[in-house]
Amino acid sequence: ARVYGTGGESSAAANLFAYQTKQGDEVFAALDKDQAKSALLSSAAPKETDIRIQGEKGTFAGLAVSAMNKEQQLLVKDCLKTLLAPYRKEDGDEALKLIDAAGGIEQLRFAFYQQEDLGKDKIWDIWRIEGPSTVVHFRGAPHVHAYINIARV
């Protein structure tokens, strides 16, 4: 498991990792109305530190990446790459290979949470990408916390 973030409170746009929030927002913006309804949750997000691997019998919220078209799936993959970019390139590449070995991004779900929509701008500040061997919890404002757990299978 890995974690990174910033400690300073600032506007979402001024944040060092604002580009990551934008990357998640690009995924949401690419969804059609029905997909967005499945992906956007009014329930509270899990605790950001709860990134335990659930395995095949786990319960995962949000929209199945397998229900997305190829262009949307590429945006999800780009989002994962962006989140892994602060790490050494070889570590990010290994993490993506582990996701591929576990069934690829198609076995993941992407959930956006309405809670804490700072600025009420519908740029979702909390989202998770999760599947049997992967958990990524991202909070983009008022400062970034990114918790990542990708297991070997």
Side-chain angles (χ1 to χ4, degrees):
R2 301 277 189 232
V3 64
Y4 64 87
T6 61
E9 303 261 338
S10 63
S11 72
N15 190 290
L16 174 65
F17 293 103
Y19 68 97
Q20 293 178 330
T21 301
K22 287 180 183 178
Q23 191 75 42
D25 191 49
E26 282 185 37
V27 173
F28 189 79
L31 302 178
D32 67 32
K33 184 179 176 182
D34 290 335
Q35 289 173 319
K37 187 176 180 180
S38 294
L40 183 58
L41 306 178
S42 59
S43 60
K47 287 179 61 175
E48 59 189 21
T49 56
D50 184 5
I51 57 167
R52 62 183 159 64
I53 298 298
Q54 295 187 50
E56 294 295 327
K57 295 183 181 179
T59 303
F60 312 108
L63 175 66
V65 174
S66 62
M68 296 179 181
N69 65 37
K70 293 297 178 193
E71 289 173 0
Q72 293 165 327
Q73 288 179 4
L74 283 174
L75 287 173
V76 171
K77 193 158 199 170
D78 287 346
C79 188
L80 285 166
K81 287 178 182 177
T82 298
L83 291 171
L84 294 167
Y87 299 106
R88 295 181 315 166
K89 181 179 179 343
E90 55 267 27
D91 292 336
D93 291 347
E94 180 182 3
L96 292 171
K97 286 178 185 174
L98 291 173
I99 291 170
D100 286 342
I105 63 169
E106 294 84 2
Q107 51 92 29
L108 302 175
R109 295 180 82 84
F110 209 129
F112 298 84
Y113 293 89
Q114 292 180 12
Q115 80 183 69
E116 298 181 34
D117 177 17
L118 299 178
K120 306 294 183 226
D121 55 8
K122 298 193 186 297
I123 294 174
W124 308 115
D125 300 304
I126 300 173
W127 36 270
R128 281 174 80 96
I129 304 170
E130 191 168 11
S133 65
T134 302
V135 183
V136 174
H137 185 103
F138 182 83
R139 185 184 82 189
H143 53 268
V144 167
H145 290 178
Y147 292 84
I148 302 170
N149 191 2
I150 301 172
R152 294 184 191 282
V153 291

